[in-house]
Amino acid sequence: MLLAGTMKKGRGAVELVKHWINGAEKTSKSGRQGEVFNPALGTVSKQVDFADIETIDSAIANSKSAFSPWSQTSLTKRVQILFAFRHLLNSKKEELAAIITSEHGKVLSDALGEVTRGLEVVEFACGIPHLLKGGYSEGVSQGVDVYSIRQPLGVCAIISPFNFPAMVPMWMFPLAIACGNTFILKPSEKDPSCPLRLAELLKEAGLPDGVFNVVNGDKESVDALLSNPNVSAISFVGSTPIAKYIYENAAKFEKRVQALGGAKNHCVVMPDADLDQAVAGLMGAAYGSAGERCMAQSVAVAVGNIGDELVSKLTKEVNNLRVGPGLDKGVDMGPLVTAQHLEKVTSYIDLGVKEGAKLIVDGRKIKKPQGYEKGFYLGGCLFDHVKENMRIYKEEIFGPVLSVVRAKNFNEAVDLINKHEFGNGVSIFTRDGDSARTFSSHIKVGMVGINIPIPVPMAFHSFGGWKRSLFGDQHVHGMEGVRFYTKLKTITSRWPSGIKATSNFTMPTMN
Ligand code: NAD
């Protein structure tokens, strides 16, 4: 089970979530901790130790010394370890999901889905011998051959968000490790337990100590990772202002960087759409995980005269949402992650009303489940007649709040989306192939769904948004992931066999 020490807090004793360095738990001397909540109950369940600079430096030094032997470990051996990890993950899925639900709040089936999506990246990484095959050109000149290989970068790190404590780190580390890098994970301080359990499983799978380290903490830890010259690459997933900060600073310290930010995902419902299919899709995409997903659909764009019928169907469904503790069966939506986040989302609902949008379903009025009165619950909220200039349209709310915007026609819907600062995911519901094709070709968004509400690409394709939803060049996993975690080397070789040696002072050509 979870590795955690115990510390006294008030009259009770709570576990202390530590760090994982060189294959074992470590505590820092920082004296700083954060509170981890059980959002269903609204109580503090654990404390998490915040690393000081010495702890971060020791994790980096450890990762650095593990790099040389690991990068020289055969591909076959690396794959055997990944297969063993995949097997362990699969057999511990339920346990991992329960840990996620207890700290994040999402319903258990959703947490299981998260682990499965991470597992798919591990499966993709098991194919690394094939993915790392380079190119070879024989005889480009007399006796001259050229070949390209991809080599690992060194110590790579991820700073990850609270909303996918297992899946988002698994977007990165299976491939990073498979490519021969060593890896440091800095999880969100809000739900740090699952990442530590993943570290235990990696060790059990046979991964050598030091190849995978976990450091917990806040900005101080992040800044120490950013400025240390022994870290070669940084991946970040989180909100846009921090993504921009990470992108700029990682570049300043000459690191490779990909920084994925926030989102405002639109779902266009055309007049010819199968409306029941669109409503069912929207419900899961807007309210699943209480809207705390970067691919959540927070804006429905009703095109033409479909608006009233769409809103009427949505209203019925939103009113029927079952909200409660994520571990309970039959619950659609769990609590939000913290009281602070609940307050932020609620303030956006207050703002929407002030801005003049029509609040059709008010989730603030929800009756909390018996025995869970202190939990961070919010019911599903539905706004209609939301306008482009409203802050509830422009900004990411990251809660169970769906805004309906009306657009006169297809072109107006496309223009609206293309003007938005974010470009993570988007969907269109239509029966018309022409509209669907024009939409996918003209829309300025990284991931597009056609009659698919949450178009998260499979592990062998790559995940990433456009505009201010991603700073950097490479998307994550798939071949973009392999490219991010390796650098290309091209070797031109000649084996002289009877070629006359001559000095040549002109630019070499292969003639
Ligand atoms: P966040 O930006 O608050 O935190 C993300 C990480 O950054 C955490 O590890 C946190 O400790 C660290 N951090 C926070 N403040 C920092 C600072 N000032 N300096 C340095 N590091 C700091 O995000 P969150 O609330 O954990 O997650 C929700 C956000 O993540 C949403 O905006 C969501 O859209 C986004 N997200 C995006 C994607 C994507 O693929 N684009 C995926 C998941 C989540």
Side-chain angles (χ1 to χ4, degrees):
M1 259 311 284
L2 261 191
L3 292 165
T6 302
M7 65 176 294
K8 295 279 177 202
K9 188 180 175 277
R11 276 175 300 161
V14 289
E15 286 179 355
L16 178 68
V17 182
K18 301 175 180 174
H19 316 280
W20 182 269
I21 299 170
N22 200 23
E25 278 187 290
K26 296 278 171 349
T27 317
S28 79
K29 295 200 179 86
S30 74
R32 296 194 312 122
Q33 280 115 28
E35 288 179 324
V36 180
F37 291 91
N38 177 330
L41 290 168
T43 51
V44 174
S45 60
K46 289 178 189 169
Q47 297 278 331
V48 55
D49 192 48
F50 283 179
D52 49 15
I53 291 178
E54 289 71 36
T55 308
I56 300 288
D57 285 350
S58 84
I60 297 171
N62 180 246
S63 303
K64 192 181 171 208
S65 49
F67 174 66
S68 177
W70 178 245
S71 60
Q72 286 161 42
T73 300
S74 72
L75 279 171
T76 316
K77 179 73 193 156
R78 284 187 230 158
V79 167
Q80 280 164 1
I81 293 169
L82 281 166
F83 264 111
F85 178 58
R86 188 238 166 241
H87 177 72
L88 281 167
L89 261 184
N90 206 29
S91 63
K92 307 280 181 194
K93 260 199 294 205
E94 279 79 16
E95 180 204 327
L96 292 165
I99 298 172
I100 295 169
T101 295
S102 70
E103 293 183 357
H104 176 283
K106 63 176 73 174
V107 299
L108 202 56
S109 55
D110 190 33
L112 262 174
E114 153 168 16
V115 178
T116 304
R117 291 311 294 255
L119 198 137
E120 287 166 5
V121 184
V122 179
E123 287 169 350
F124 176 67
C126 286
I128 200 69
H130 177 68
L131 301 170
L132 279 183
K133 279 194 303 196
Y136 197 102
S137 304
E138 188 190 20
V140 294
S141 183
Q142 206 185 356
V144 177
D145 305 322
V146 180
Y147 61 99
S148 300
I149 54 175
R150 302 206 73 96
Q151 293 190 316
L153 307 176
V155 180
C156 303
I158 182 176
I159 296 130
S160 68
F162 81 83
N163 66 323
F164 286 110
M167 184 187 78
V168 165
M170 283 198 276
W171 279 352
M172 319 291 179
F173 75 73
L175 266 182
I177 287 172
C179 290
N181 301 284
T182 55
F183 201 86
I184 300 176
L185 163 60
K186 204 302 277 172
S188 166
E189 59 276 39
K190 293 185 180 116
D191 41 16
S193 296
C194 190
L196 275 189
R197 187 70 184 115
L198 293 175
E200 287 181 313
L201 295 180
L202 282 166
K203 185 178 170 101
E204 205 179 321
L207 192 73
D209 292 346
V211 176
F212 182 77
N213 289 323
V214 182
V215 289
N216 281 303
D218 55 4
K219 182 171 164 47
E220 193 174 316
S221 316
V222 174
D223 287 344
L225 285 168
L226 283 172
S227 57
N228 192 307
N230 290 319
V231 176
S232 302
I234 296 266
S235 300
F236 171 86
V237 182
S239 58
T240 287
I242 315 291
K244 188 162 187 290
Y245 171 81
I246 301 282
Y247 180 67
E248 289 172 354
N249 281 280
K252 186 170 100 188
F253 290 105
E254 301 175 7
K255 300 182 194 318
R256 185 172 288 192
V257 56
Q258 56 183 182
L260 283 68
K264 194 83 179 175
N265 305 309
H266 297 68
C267 175
V268 175
V269 184
M270 293 296 288
D272 68 347
D274 177 331
L275 202 52
D276 289 335
Q277 209 182 80
V279 168
L282 262 168
M283 287 302 298
Y287 301 103
S289 198
E292 293 168 325
R293 289 186 187 139
C294 64
M295 289 293 274
Q297 284 185 340
S298 46
V299 183
V301 186
V303 176
N305 58 5
I306 204 155
D308 289 346
E309 203 185 343
L310 175 68
V311 171
S312 147
K313 281 181 184 270
L314 281 171
T315 306
K316 196 166 147 241
E317 296 294 327
V318 182
N319 277 317
N320 285 337
L321 275 173
R322 294 160 300 180
V323 181
L327 290 177
D328 280 13
K329 285 211 165 71
V331 166
D332 300 315
M333 210 171 81
L336 294 181
V337 67
T338 57
Q340 200 188 10
H341 190 57
L342 172 64
E343 207 177 295
K344 181 186 154 196
V345 175
T346 309
S347 76
Y348 269 110
I349 302 160
D350 302 341
L351 175 70
V353 174
K354 263 197 224 131
E355 286 182 311
K358 195 167 169 200
L359 185 57
I360 308 282
V361 185
D362 186 355
R364 294 171 300 182
K365 294 184 180 151
I366 190 178
K367 190 168 175 292
K368 294 192 183 181
Q370 205 179 0
Y372 296 90
E373 288 78 7
K374 286 193 189 151
F376 310 137
Y377 299 96
L378 178 67
C381 298
L382 180 66
F383 277 111
D384 193 8
H385 297 289
V386 173
K387 304 279 186 246
E388 216 184 315
N389 59 352
M390 294 179 181
R391 276 183 55 203
I392 61 159
Y393 171 73
K394 291 196 273 196
E395 296 171 20
E396 181 182 44
I397 300 175
F398 220 57
V401 184
L402 177 64
S403 296
V404 179
V405 177
R406 314 272 184 135
K408 277 197 214 75
N409 52 40
F410 174 81
N411 287 342
E412 196 176 296
V414 170
D415 285 348
L416 181 80
I417 297 164
N418 284 349
K419 274 189 280 175
H420 205 284
E421 74 166 290
F422 297 121
N424 213 38
V426 72
S427 291
I428 184 167
F429 278 85
T430 180
R431 287 188 172 100
D432 179 43
D434 196 15
S435 307
R437 190 173 184 281
T438 310
F439 184 79
S440 54
S441 126
H442 290 275
I443 209 73
K444 293 178 180 157
V445 175
M447 292 169 284
V448 182
I450 296 165
N451 298 315
I452 297 285
I454 311 181
V456 173
M458 293 296 292
F460 35 89
H461 286 268
S462 298
F463 180 106
W466 284 14
K467 298 189 271 185
R468 301 189 82 234
S469 294
L470 191 151
F471 301 92
D473 304 317
Q474 303 281 3
H475 290 197
V476 304
H477 60 67
M479 280 316 291
E480 296 254 304
V482 176
R483 282 190 280 270
F484 183 77
Y485 285 118
T486 52
K487 49 194 170 191
L488 188 70
K489 186 180 277 178
T490 307
I491 297 121
T492 305
S493 71
R494 173 160 57 202
W495 294 100
S497 52
I499 298 167
K500 193 168 167 269
T502 50
S503 295
N504 193 336
F505 298 97
T506 59
M507 183 66 191
T509 66
M510 294 299 176
N511 293 324

